[in-house]
């Protein structure tokens, strides 16, 4: 009787896995698209904490979560090197776009490389809005300025501590340029006058990875369940599910963990 | 980072006179002080008139003012944003994402509070003050001013409440200010941002300053209310 009750209790209370993730996976509907199947199959309930990539990694550093879904490659590498995380695994990718006013005041639409386009924005002193919040997008923007060999500062460089949607609104209001992930820009586009001025450039690639918080550091980490999540999302089936998410006919995240599936889905 | 470490790091930032901290403190103080001034200028006369004069719809105005004190700050933020947006009626002024816009929004936010607090203060004032002033030949405006001066302790507390609401305000500052570094970033928007980044020392430092400012204001109000007692 007692064992039966315990078994019932176990069935009613699945293990809770804490996932700290960048906001785009949650806001785009990806997690709602892939997690229920995982939860059903493995009897694990996933608690999603959607924050910027920087904060997600900080939460992992403090042992407040079990697994992290981020898109800040440099920070992720440093996180693993410092011994905070293990088993970093690339899961999927999409890309960033440089957007600006329709009349392109810096004249950068014809420029072939994004760093060169940024250099032009800086030279002409046209307003550029930065997320300024340590998010994955902010990390990517910093990397692009480094590649452009420009230290962005001055009245034209506005560091707004806001989310992507609010920064797009601000860029639209101030006739400014900004860097955005394609998904957020697509869902925002109809409300403003901004256009894409740079896209499909290799530096704009945006890979997403899963990392498990080091169980040797925090023994409470649900290591097995975290690895199950990685296994499921990088399996051919999980990858196909990721690639199946569309917004107005466009793929939001290209699976990249299993090359064959990724190729098939991209076609 | 432990609580102690964050606290120690925040104190170090404060003592070093960190430029980001200083800028956020100054923007917060400027906006809160200016908005307190303007909302007092509008709210105190409104509150006085509603209580001491009888006119049609007085009851409705009173209820409306009381209701407006409960409007969420983000709603005021939304209204001011829509007004000042490039596509809004006042878009040509290019005030969005400036301190002026924040002062405007903050003032609108607190006028109803100032008015209702004034109503409470004035309705408790001795009615003989105004009568006496009028008997002594004062004009109606002069008599009204006498009532307000005699109620100064209560009014001072009302102004302090308004300031307290404004210095800790987040919604309007974020929406119409845009949380721009060294320009429209206040203590509260900085705390929200730094917490979002997972960088707690700066957030803590600003939290401490906020507490300090609140303490300072209350000490000043206390000292003034004791004066002449």
């Amino acid at each position: 009787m007692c064992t039966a009750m315990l078994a019932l209790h176990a069935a009613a209370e699945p293990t809770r896995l804490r996932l700290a993730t960048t906001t785009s996976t949650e806001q785009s509907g990806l997690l709602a698209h892939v997690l229920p199947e995982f939860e059903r199959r493995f009897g694990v309930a996933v608690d999603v904490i959607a924050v910027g990539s920087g904060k997600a990694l900080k939460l992992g550093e403090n042992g407040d979560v079990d697994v992290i879904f981020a898109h800040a490659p440099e920070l992720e590498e440093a996180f693993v090197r410092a011994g905070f995380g293990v088993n970093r695994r690339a899961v999927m990718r999409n890309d960033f776009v440089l957007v600006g006013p329709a009349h392109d005041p810096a004249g950068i639409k014809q420029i072939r490389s994004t760093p060169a386009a940024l250099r032009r924005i800086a030279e002409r002193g046209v307003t550029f809005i930065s997320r300024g919040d340590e998010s994955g997008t902010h990390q990517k923007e910093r990397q692009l300025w480094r590649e452009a060999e420009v230290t962005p500062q001055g009245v034209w460089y506005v560091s707004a501590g806001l989310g992507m949607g609010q920064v797009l609104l601000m860029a639209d209001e101030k006739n400014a340029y900004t860097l955005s992930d394609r998904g957020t820009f697509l869902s925002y586009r109809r409300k403003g006058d901004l256009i894409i001025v740079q896209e499909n450039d290799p530096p704009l690639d945006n890979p997403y990875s899963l990392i498990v918080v080091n169980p040797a550091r925090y023994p409470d980490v649900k290591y097995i369940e975290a690895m199950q999540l990685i296994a499921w999302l990088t399996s051919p089936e999980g990858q196909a599910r990721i690639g199946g998410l569309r917004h107005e006919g466009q793929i939001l995240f290209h699976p990249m963990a299993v090359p064959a599936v990724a190729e098939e889905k991209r076609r | 980072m432990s609580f102690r470490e964050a606290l120690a790091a925040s104190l170090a930032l404060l003592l070093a006179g960190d430029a980001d901290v200083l800028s956020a403190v100054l923007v917060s103080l400027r906006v809160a002080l200016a908005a307190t001034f303007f909302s007092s200028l509008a709210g105190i006369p409104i509150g006085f008139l509603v209580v001491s004069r009888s006119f049609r719809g007085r009851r409705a105005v009173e209820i409306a003012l009381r209701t407006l004190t409960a409007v969420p700050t983000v709603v005021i933020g939304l209204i001011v944003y829509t007004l000042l947006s490039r596509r809004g009626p006042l878009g040509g002024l290019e005030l969005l994402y400036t301190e002026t816009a924040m002062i405007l929004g903050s003032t609108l936010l607190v006028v109803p509070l100032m008015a209702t607090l004034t109503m409470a203060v004035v309705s408790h004032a001795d009615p003989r003050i105004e009568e006496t002033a009028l008997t002594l030949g004062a004009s109606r405006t002069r008599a009204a001013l006498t009532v307000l001066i005699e109620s100064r302790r209560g009014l001072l507390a009302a102004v302090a409440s308004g300031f307290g609401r404004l210095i800790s305000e987040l919604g309007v500052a974020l929406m119409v200010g845009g949380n721009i570094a060294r320009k429209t970033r206040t203590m509260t928007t900085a705390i929200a941002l730094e917490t979002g980044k997972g960088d707690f020392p700066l957030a803590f430092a600003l939290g401490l300053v906020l507490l300090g400012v609140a303490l300072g204001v209350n000490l000043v109000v206390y000292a003034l209310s004791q004066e002449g007692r």
Side-chain angles (χ1 to χ4, degrees):
Chain A
M1 166 94 188
C2 211
T3 14
M5 273 177 73
L6 274 176
L8 265 177
H9 184 72
E13 292 283 328
T15 310
R16 303 206 79 85
L17 184 69
R18 290 163 304 173
L19 168 70
T21 175
T22 167
T23 46
S24 48
T25 56
E26 159 115 297
Q27 287 172 0
S28 61
L30 178 80
L31 294 178
H33 184 68
V34 297
L35 288 183
E37 176 71 12
F38 167 77
E39 292 179 319
R40 192 181 60 72
R41 243 193 236 198
F42 293 85
V44 173
V46 183
D47 293 336
V48 175
I49 301 148
V51 289
S53 287
K55 170 101 182 264
L57 290 165
K58 272 277 180 356
L59 290 174
E61 222 175 283
N62 293 336
D64 293 330
V65 294
D66 305 303
V67 58
I68 296 152
F69 208 166
H71 67 129
E74 289 177 22
L75 290 183
E76 292 163 23
E77 280 159 24
F79 182 80
V80 173
R81 262 202 313 279
F84 293 122
V86 293
N87 295 330
R88 174 170 173 242
R89 186 78 160 83
V91 175
M92 60 193 193
R93 53 165 291 281
N94 59 12
D95 63 345
F96 288 104
V97 288
L98 188 64
V99 300
H103 63 283
D104 191 17
I108 56 174
K109 207 161 186 290
Q110 308 309 323
I111 296 180
R112 285 286 172 83
S113 101
T114 306
L118 286 175
R119 210 174 303 132
R120 177 78 66 84
I121 291 175
E123 280 162 11
R124 303 221 167 149
V126 184
T127 309
F128 182 96
I129 319 266
S130 167
R131 287 278 293 276
D133 62 352
E134 305 294 327
S135 58
T137 307
H138 187 205
Q139 299 296 333
K140 169 61 78 175
E141 182 212 313
R142 283 207 187 123
Q143 182 201 328
L144 289 169
W145 286 116
R146 274 201 302 277
E147 283 175 30
E149 293 172 346
V150 171
T151 308
Q153 53 189 8
V155 285
W156 60 274
Y157 187 75
V158 176
S159 175
L162 298 172
M164 195 68 254
Q166 289 161 295
V167 163
L168 284 168
L169 280 177
M170 189 184 273
D172 186 37
E173 287 288 343
K174 302 193 90 156
N175 280 320
Y177 291 92
T178 193
L179 185 71
S180 172
D181 63 282
R182 193 183 286 271
T184 309
F185 180 67
L186 285 177
S187 54
Y188 152 86
R189 195 166 51 189
R190 272 152 295 155
K191 299 174 211 93
D193 297 333
L194 298 172
I195 58 159
I196 293 178
V197 290
Q198 290 285 321
E199 62 183 330
N200 301 329
D201 193 18
L204 292 174
D205 195 35
N206 183 24
Y208 288 74
S209 298
L210 280 166
I211 310 173
V212 183
V213 174
N214 188 352
R217 211 181 165 86
Y218 296 104
D220 291 346
V221 165
K222 308 279 192 322
Y223 181 75
I224 301 295
E225 289 80 3
M227 288 307 289
Q228 283 175 329
L229 178 67
I230 294 187
W232 155 249
L233 284 177
T234 57
S235 70
E237 203 185 335
Q239 291 277 290
R241 212 165 160 75
I242 290 172
L245 180 67
R246 310 282 162 111
H247 179 79
E248 291 177 357
Q250 299 214 41
I251 295 187
L252 292 183
F253 300 97
H254 300 277
M256 66 186 288
V258 186
V261 175
E263 280 313 305
E264 192 184 310
K265 275 292 145 190
R266 232 183 271 181
R267 231 174 280 136
Chain B
M1 178 173 284
S2 73
F3 181 78
R4 279 178 82 116
E5 283 167 345
L7 202 61
S10 70
L11 285 173
L13 273 175
L14 280 182
L15 294 174
D18 183 80
D20 287 326
V21 174
L22 198 67
S23 160
V25 172
L26 290 179
V27 173
S28 275
L29 284 175
R30 274 201 301 269
V31 171
L33 285 172
T36 305
F37 175 75
F38 291 122
S39 59
S40 305
L41 214 58
I44 293 176
I46 292 173
F48 179 81
L49 290 177
V50 170
V51 169
S52 60
R53 301 283 179 268
S54 51
F55 53 90
R56 272 183 57 152
R58 193 176 73 100
R59 205 68 209 153
V61 171
E62 193 179 332
I63 290 168
L65 283 172
R66 289 195 195 286
T67 307
L68 287 175
T69 57
V71 169
T73 60
V74 282
V75 172
I76 299 287
L78 181 65
I79 292 167
V80 177
Y81 183 95
T82 320
L83 285 175
L84 298 182
S85 161
R86 210 145 54 88
R87 294 178 187 77
L90 303 177
L93 300 176
E94 300 205 340
L95 283 178
L96 198 59
Y97 308 126
T98 63
E99 241 178 75
T100 313
M102 294 161 78
I103 292 170
L104 179 66
S106 304
T107 303
L108 288 178
L109 177 70
V110 175
V111 164
L113 180 71
M114 296 301 295
T116 49
L117 289 174
T118 304
M119 280 151 57
V121 170
V122 172
S123 63
H124 285 106
D126 193 332
R128 284 171 300 183
I129 299 171
E130 192 172 11
E131 286 163 25
T132 312
L134 289 170
T135 318
L136 292 173
S139 66
R140 280 187 69 109
T141 317
R142 186 75 191 84
L145 213 55
T146 311
V147 175
L148 289 178
I149 289 168
E150 289 304 315
S151 316
R152 65 185 175 278
R153 270 204 285 271
L155 290 178
L156 196 63
V159 171
S161 304
F163 180 80
R165 173 115 204 243
L166 287 168
I167 196 87
S168 58
E169 194 283 320
L170 176 67
V172 171
L174 207 54
M175 288 179 80
V176 305
N179 195 18
I180 296 172
R182 308 261 177 115
K183 195 171 161 230
T184 59
R185 185 163 299 165
T186 65
M187 287 191 269
T188 53
T189 63
I191 289 173
L193 172 67
E194 297 305 327
T195 309
K197 281 191 210 169
D199 183 5
F200 301 121
L202 190 55
F204 259 111
L206 291 163
L208 288 175
V209 177
L210 263 178
L211 269 177
V213 169
L215 178 66
V217 168
N218 278 293
L219 286 177
V220 168
V221 170
Y222 181 76
L224 287 174
S225 64
Q226 290 304 300
E227 190 180 302
R229 172 157 282 193

